[in-house]
Amino acid sequence: MKEFNPAQAIFAIKNTEHDRGVNISISDSATFYFPTAQEMEDTFHGKVEAYLYSRHLNSTNVALGKALAAMENAEAAIVTGSGMAAITTALLHFCNTGDHIVASNTVYGGTFAFMKNWLKKINIEVTFVNIDNPDEVKAAIKPNTKVVYTEAMANPLLTIADLPALAEIAHANNAKLLVDNTFTPMIFSPKNLGADVVIYSLTKFVNGKNDMVGGAIIGTEEEIMGMLDLNDGTAMLLGPVMDSLRSSMILKNLYTLHIRMQKHSENAMYLAKKFKTAGVNICYPGLETDRNHELMTKLMNPKYGYGGMLALDFGTYEKGAEFLRILQEKGVGFLAVSLGYFKTLFSNSGHSTSSEMPEDIQKEIGLKEGLTRFSVGLDDDIEATWKLIEETLKEISVI
Ligand SMILES: Cc1ncc(COP(=O)(O)O)c(C=O)c1O
């Protein structure tokens, strides 16, 4: 089979704007009129397809959804006001009270907190597992398991999920495989690897500008339209809809995602090699010595590299914190959470994005005190950036 090209799939979409604008128009209406009362009624009964209300669908959100579905080789998508809105909507759609989820124990802190603390309010049980151990995943499955949930590249240790193996386990037990691909858009095409539903925080690499939050759920037409059902659709009734102005902005940024991912990956690989040679403890799946290298190489779309994320261990929290403070002072990037920005962002995972995870679980998954997450930016002169980093490593006596 010809290798799937997610960027080309987006470019292949035909723009059919009535005013011949090269960009999609921004839908500026919360509601839409009908020529006749009969047509209104028919639309509400699903007999006619028309826009009826913007929490349901509007042309701009549909355009972004179409582009994201094309990127994932999928049928349809909903865009939401945040990544967490996408995650919570998808989980609440596929699970009912009394159901069970098997989830990776290395997921984004907000996802972890929702699963561990919130879902029990409605009696949905979650078993957290080491997602890279298929036997553990299999053993955790129960007759009422509806969802197996993982990140393709997991927060914050950059663990790679064996998606085909997980899909096999999920499908053998009539469960859906939901994959958060936020760290690795275009690098992985989870649907092609067996996932049922792909979830994004668009806030990160996909938008890439750190000027908004957004999310997406990508799946089959049936799944997505089910979420939008007027009577019992989780997205329709919980109302996590994205604002159409934001959709239009993200859609424009989507058309440069392939170039940005390549540059993020190129810069991250350069820095990873330098950190490694300098003797800093580093996780980066692009390094041949990394525990995830082989699996990632097997599953990825090679054109986009190994991604822009690095995890570095400085031993103690204080050492890592000092390193980041000086790097920010030197202008290397920002001491800030989030990722996928054009400038480098860095943070201590255990004290920020994974702080929702109790300390004992942080220990169990190997999240160490001094673990520092880097989202490497689009620096044009990465050698100059490394010089500043090397200088800082010397200043704090790491090298
Ligand atoms: C992997 C991952 N998924 C989901 C989210 C949540 O997305 P948002 O902040 O857009 O709600 C984040 C946020 O940091 C994340 O890192």
Side-chain angles (χ1 to χ4, degrees):
M1 194 180 91
K2 196 163 168 271
E3 200 175 285
F4 176 63
N5 184 328
Q8 206 47 39
I10 297 169
F11 273 77
I13 296 172
K14 290 216 172 68
N15 182 349
T16 51
E17 285 288 284
H18 298 305
D19 66 357
R20 302 195 197 159
V22 293
N23 286 314
I24 296 290
S25 302
I26 300 162
S27 172
D28 195 30
S29 295
T31 195
F32 302 89
Y33 71 87
F34 293 87
T36 62
Q38 186 61 48
E39 202 168 309
M40 179 187 268
E41 190 180 335
D42 288 348
T43 304
F44 271 81
H45 288 110
K47 292 185 196 153
V48 170
E49 261 188 46
Y51 295 124
L52 51 93
Y53 189 64
S54 217
R55 168 158 45 79
H56 184 243
L57 290 170
N58 63 57
S59 55
T60 322
N61 287 3
V62 166
L64 176 59
K66 260 192 195 160
L68 290 165
M71 175 172 92
E72 293 301 331
N73 202 16
E75 289 173 5
I78 307 180
V79 290
T80 57
S82 71
M84 280 310 295
I87 292 165
T88 53
T89 301
L91 290 174
L92 293 174
H93 179 74
F94 290 112
C95 298
N96 289 322
T97 299
D99 285 341
H100 174 248
I101 297 170
V102 175
S104 164
N105 58 13
T106 53
V107 286
Y108 164 60
T111 310
F112 183 85
F114 177 71
M115 288 183 176
K116 182 156 195 301
N117 305 328
W118 199 95
L119 281 178
K120 65 182 171 204
K121 286 192 194 188
I122 52 169
N123 192 27
I124 293 175
E125 191 200 356
V126 185
T127 305
F128 292 99
V129 295
N130 289 308
I131 207 76
D132 48 0
N133 181 346
D135 292 336
E136 209 178 311
V137 178
K138 258 187 224 159
I141 299 267
K142 298 182 179 188
N144 57 342
T145 304
K146 292 287 159 49
V147 163
V148 174
Y149 186 95
T150 188
E151 291 172 7
M153 177 187 276
N155 235 316
L157 296 165
L158 314 185
T159 309
I160 302 299
D162 189 343
L163 298 183
L166 292 174
E168 206 177 306
I169 298 171
H171 297 158
N173 292 281
N174 291 323
K176 301 247 184 207
L177 177 62
L178 269 56
V179 176
D180 179 337
N181 201 30
T182 298
F183 278 31
T184 43
M186 295 195 169
I187 296 174
F188 290 121
S189 298
K191 287 281 284 181
N192 290 355
L193 297 168
D196 296 286
V197 173
V198 186
I199 295 172
Y200 278 102
S201 164
L202 301 175
T203 317
K204 315 292 160 43
F205 287 103
V206 173
N207 184 53
K209 305 291 183 294
N210 250 303
D211 52 3
M212 67 184 74
V213 286
I217 311 169
I218 304 162
T220 63
E221 185 79 24
E222 193 187 344
E223 286 159 347
I224 297 302
M225 289 322 287
M227 290 180 205
L228 289 169
D229 188 281
L230 302 190
N231 293 304
D232 64 1
T234 313
M236 185 59 192
L237 300 180
L238 295 187
V241 66
M242 176 180 278
D243 178 70
S244 52
L245 172 63
R246 295 308 195 186
S247 278
S248 75
M249 293 164 78
I250 296 174
L251 183 56
K252 282 173 277 187
N253 290 331
L254 191 63
Y255 282 87
T256 57
L257 179 61
H258 57 301
I259 303 169
R260 290 186 280 115
M261 288 317 293
Q262 286 165 358
K263 189 66 179 168
H264 282 297
S265 292
E266 184 189 311
N267 283 352
M269 181 67 111
Y270 180 89
L271 292 185
K273 285 182 178 162
K274 291 289 186 188
F275 276 118
K276 175 104 186 147
T277 310
V280 177
N281 209 339
I282 180 170
C283 287
Y284 184 64
L287 295 174
E288 279 175 22
T289 46
D290 191 90
R291 70 193 167 102
N292 288 291
H293 181 73
E294 202 182 317
L295 180 61
M296 179 149 182
T297 306
K298 192 171 91 181
L299 302 182
M300 70 196 275
N301 297 320
K303 216 168 154 183
Y304 307 99
Y306 288 86
M309 305 302 294
L310 305 176
L312 303 165
D313 183 12
F314 288 96
T316 64
Y317 169 64
E318 290 72 22
K319 194 78 145 183
E322 184 60 355
F323 179 60
L324 301 187
R325 186 188 65 76
I326 302 174
L327 284 189
Q328 180 163 249
E329 252 174 41
K330 289 184 196 285
V332 170
F334 293 113
L335 178 47
V337 295
S338 205
L339 51 124
Y341 186 42
F342 45 76
K343 286 214 61 161
T344 297
L345 300 177
F346 29 74
S347 56
N348 176 289
S349 300
H351 288 255
S352 60
T353 48
S354 296
S355 59
E356 291 91 338
M357 221 175 254
E359 262 178 44
D360 56 326
I361 299 184
Q362 290 192 17
K363 263 206 188 101
E364 190 190 319
I365 66 165
L367 199 169
K368 303 216 180 92
E369 256 294 287
L371 191 85
T372 305
R373 188 178 81 175
F374 266 61
S375 165
V376 180
L378 300 173
D379 310 29
D380 189 39
D381 187 351
I382 196 71
E383 288 174 37
T385 302
W386 170 250
K387 288 213 172 77
L388 294 173
I389 295 174
E390 191 178 33
E391 214 176 87
T392 311
L393 289 172
K394 284 181 185 153
E395 276 171 51
I396 61 163
S397 310
V398 169
I399 56 173

